[in-house]
Amino acid sequence: MRPAHVMSRALLCAFAALPLAASADDLLIRNAKVHTVTERGTLERADVLVRSGRIAAVGTNLAAAGATVIDANGRPLTPGLFGGITALGVVEVSQEKSTVDNDPHAAERGQAAEPRPEFDVTLSFNPDSAVIGVNRVEGVTYAMIAPGAVSGDTVIAGQGAVARLDGRADAMVTPSRTLFANLNAGVSRAGQFMLLEQATREAKPTPQMRDADFRLLTPTGREVLARYLGGGRIAFSVDRATDIRQALAFAQKQGARPVILGGAQAWQVAGPLAQAKVPVILDPLVDLPDSFDQIGATLENAARLHKAGVRVAFTNLNDGTHNARKVRQSAGVAVTNGLPWEAALAALTANPAEIFGLGAEYGRIAPGYVADLVLWSGDPLEVTTVAEQVWIDGRAQSMRSRQTELRDRYRPGAR
C-alpha cells in the first residue's frame, strides 16, 4: 500500500494556490503545537486527525492510511478565529451606498429611526464578498453578521447570525441568531428605555391595549420581538456602567438572554455580570474615551472582567468589517495589559462560540468538533505572525485574496 504522503512547506504553499477550497479528504496534521482551548491546554508536538470535516483524534503518533499528512514542524495550530461583530458579506465598500446592506434605515435618513426587530441582515449576506477572503486568509473562519447596531441610531436594529466564511451558500448557523439593541443610539437614556418598554408592551400585549392605540412596532416586528423576549438572545450595545445595569435588569424582567457589546465600563460592574453569567464582547483597544459613556475605559477591561469570572470575547469596534482580522492583534494588547494568554485565545475561539450557542461544535480542537483550524508561522497573537494555512470543515482554504492579488500585480518587478 502506498503510504500517506507528508506535506512539506513547499507543498503547503502550493495548497494556497487552490481555488476556494480543497475537498474534505482525511487530514493528519503532525508535530504541531496544538492549542486545544480545552482542559487539555497546549500540547507540544501533537497530532490532529480530521475525518469527514470533523476532528477525529488529538494525540501523538496518530496514523491514517490514505490521509493527507502535514508536518507542522512544531508550529502553532489553533481553532479558527472569530472575527467579531461585523458586516462581512453585507458591506463591500462603506462609502458606496449600493454595497451597504446592513442598515434598516438606509432609505429614512433625516427621519426618525423606528425600532425594526424584524429586520434580518442575514438575507443580504454575500458569501463571495471580497472582504471575506481578505479576513479569512488571516485565520478568521466565522463571524457574527450584525445589523447596524454598534453605532446606529435606532434602539432595536434587527437580527443577525454567525456565518461560516468558506463561501458556502448556507453560511448562517441557526442557533446563533441574535437580536441587536443599541443603547448608544444618540437619544436620551430615558428615551431609550422608554422605547424598549413601549416595544415590549406591544410584543406582550395587555388587555388594556386596543387596536386603535399608537404602535411603535409593525405586526411582524411585534411577533419577532416576542420570540426574543421569550428566552432569546439580545445583544445590547452599551458602554456606561449604569446603562449596563439597566440592560441587565431589563433582560431579567423580560426573560431574555443578554450579551453586552462594547462595555467600555463593564469592569465597573464585573460582579453583577459574573453573577448573572452575562458575557461581554469588547474591543481591547478602547482606552481613551470617544464619549462621556467611556470615561472609565481602560486597557485592563478584559483582564479585570476575566479575573471576576466574566466570559469575554473580542471584536473590533472601529473597523470590524474590513479589518476583522486585526482582532488577534487586539487580543495581544489585552495580554500585555494583564489578560492570561490562554484566556485571550479563548476570547477569539471558544468563548464567542459559547456566547452564540455553538460551543458544542466550534471553537476548540477536540474529538467531535468541526475542523476549523489555522496553522501559524509563530505566536498567533504576535503582529508579525501570519496564517500559513486555514481549514474550514477540514477543507484547505485558498490563501489568496483580493489584497494579495493586487500586491502581486502591482509590486515592483511584477509582470
Side-chain angles (χ1 to χ4, degrees), residues 309-351:
V310 178
R311 191 186 301 276
V312 172
F314 294 146
T315 191
N316 182 342
L317 292 175
N318 291 323
D319 191 7
T321 297
H322 294 87
N323 286 309
R325 57 210 168 121
K326 291 185 178 180
V327 72
R328 69 181 179 90
Q329 299 175 20
S330 300
V333 171
V335 172
T336 300
N337 288 276
L339 184 68
W341 193 97
E342 294 79 7
L345 181 61
L348 295 173
T349 54
N351 285 1

Side-chain angles (χ1 to χ4, degrees), residues 26-328:
D26 291 349
L27 171 69
L28 178 59
I29 303 174
R30 282 181 174 163
N31 197 25
K33 183 177 182 178
V34 181
H35 296 286
T36 67
V37 202
T38 70
E39 64 279 357
R40 297 182 69 182
T42 299
L43 307 178
E44 298 285 351
R45 303 288 178 177
D47 305 340
V48 176
L49 176 63
V50 177
R51 293 190 185 277
S52 301
R54 289 185 179 263
I55 297 169
V58 180
T60 56
N61 300 318
L62 300 181
T68 296
V69 180
I70 297 173
D71 187 351
N73 196 28
R75 298 193 299 282
L77 184 74
T78 71
L81 304 186
F82 175 68
I85 312 301
T86 77
L88 284 168
V90 293
V91 170
E92 202 72 35
V93 180
S94 300
Q95 297 301 314
E96 175 51 51
K97 293 182 179 180
S98 65
T99 72
V100 176
D101 290 319
N102 69 326
D103 188 349
H105 296 285
E108 301 177 15
R109 289 303 174 204
Q111 303 179 28
E114 297 178 350
R116 290 295 189 192
E118 69 270 37
F119 179 74
D120 184 355
V121 72
T122 67
L123 300 176
S124 300
F125 182 75
N126 174 19
D128 298 322
S129 168
V131 181
I132 291 176
V134 170
N135 288 282
R136 185 177 57 230
V137 298
E138 296 202 31
V140 176
T141 61
Y142 71 117
M144 169 57 73
I145 314 304
V150 176
S151 59
D153 56 1
T154 182
V155 174
I156 303 177
Q159 306 165 77
V162 166
R164 311 285 304 285
L165 302 180
D166 58 350
R168 67 184 68 194
D170 57 340
M172 300 300 158
V173 189
T174 301
S176 67
R177 292 191 68 83
T178 301
L179 183 70
F180 286 83
N182 183 19
L183 300 183
N184 293 322
V187 299
S188 74
R189 285 173 174 77
Q192 290 173 160
F193 286 103
M194 175 192 71
L195 293 174
L196 280 176
E197 182 66 21
Q198 171 73 17
T200 300
R201 286 177 177 271
E202 294 180 14
K204 296 181 176 181
T206 63
Q208 290 76 24
M209 293 190 72
R210 296 172 297 188
D211 291 340
D213 287 347
F214 169 79
R215 300 295 174 93
L216 187 65
L217 304 178
T218 67
T220 303
R222 295 194 289 272
E223 292 176 7
V224 170
L225 180 56
R227 293 201 299 268
Y228 284 95
L229 294 175
R233 185 184 302 106
I234 302 180
F236 293 91
S237 180
V238 58
D239 282 316
R240 203 164 78 168
T242 55
D243 295 341
I244 293 173
R245 290 182 183 274
Q246 292 288 353
L248 294 181
F250 172 84
Q252 183 179 23
K253 178 182 177 182
Q254 302 301 334
R257 289 177 290 150
V259 175
I260 300 302
L261 173 57
Q265 296 186 173
W267 64 272
Q268 296 180 356
V269 288
L273 287 166
Q275 184 176 10
K277 298 182 179 180
V278 174
V280 177
I281 303 177
L282 59 88
D283 186 337
L285 298 183
V286 172
D287 183 22
L288 298 177
D290 288 336
S291 70
F292 284 101
D293 289 0
Q294 299 178 340
I295 291 296
T298 171
L299 293 176
E300 296 181 1
N301 194 10
R304 295 177 185 180
L305 288 168
H306 171 73
K307 185 177 181 180
V310 178
R311 191 186 301 276
V312 172
F314 294 146
T315 191
N316 182 342
L317 292 175
N318 291 323
D319 191 7
T321 297
H322 294 87
N323 286 309
R325 57 210 168 121
K326 291 185 178 180
V327 72
R328 69 181 179 90

